[in-house]
């Protein structure tokens, strides 16, 4: 499962991208494409697939967290889950995970620049 969430969004942690059912043998995805075998879900913009980055102008940089999980089973999610729903459903099903995080501001999106850093994730059996 792939999750992109933004905890700095106004109001609540924002869901930018959720993909489940990714083929475990997949090693990547082409830009703008879903990972092989992946099922995209509605995002916080109420559109299926990836949305953003779109920090509101003047709101400062937002931290985008891309989280990749190996799961023991499919998640029991309703048709339009929020970030909290996903984290709740993950409990007891996570085998391994990794995170990449990076700050993005409206000014950097407009200029076409962004940067990020990888953070160590938990690992476990596959």
């Amino acid at each position: 499962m792939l999750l992109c969430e933004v905890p700095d969004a106004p109001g609540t942690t924002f869901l930018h991208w959720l993909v489940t059912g990714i083929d475990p043998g997949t090693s990547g995805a082409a830009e703008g494409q879903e990972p092989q075998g992946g099922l995209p879900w509605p995002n916080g913009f109420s559109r299926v697939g990836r949305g953003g980055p779109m920090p509101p102008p003047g709101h400062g940089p937002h931290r985008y967290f891309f989280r990749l999980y190996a799961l023991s089973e499919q998640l029991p999610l309703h048709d339009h889950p929020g970030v909290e729903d996903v984290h709740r459903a993950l409990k007891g099903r996570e085998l391994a995970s990794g995170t990449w995080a990076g700050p993005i501001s409206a000014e950097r999106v407009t200029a076409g620049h962004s940067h990020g850093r990888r953070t160590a994730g938990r690992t476990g059996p596959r």
Side-chain angles (χ1 to χ4, degrees), residues 6-15 56 59 62 84:
V6 179
D8 306 315
T12 186
T13 299
F14 194 83
L15 176 64
H59 195 262
H62 286 187
E84 297 81 15

Side-chain angles (χ1 to χ4, degrees), residues 60-117:
H62 286 187
R63 295 167 298 151
Y64 286 72
F65 289 85
F66 289 83
R67 304 183 193 279
L68 186 62
Y69 296 91
L71 305 174
S72 61
E73 60 187 84
Q74 290 292 330
L75 299 182
L77 297 171
H78 58 80
D79 291 345
H80 197 163
V83 171
E84 297 81 15
D85 300 318
V86 175
H87 283 287
R88 204 170 16 257
L90 274 169
K91 288 188 193 299
R93 294 178 174 88
E94 181 182 341
L95 299 175
S97 66
T99 298
W100 180 89
I104 299 176
S105 66
E107 294 75 21
R108 292 191 67 78
V109 171
T110 305
H113 303 284
S114 65
H115 64 278
R117 64 182 177 82

Side-chain angles (χ1 to χ4, degrees), residues 7-50:
D8 306 315
T12 186
T13 299
F14 194 83
L15 176 64
H16 274 271
W17 200 14
L18 176 62
V19 182
T20 60
I22 299 169
D23 181 340
T26 298
S27 62
E31 185 174 341
Q33 301 296 313
E34 308 296 342
Q36 183 177 339
L39 172 67
W41 290 74
N43 57 41
F45 298 110
S46 296
R47 295 186 299 253
V48 173
R50 188 180 69 83

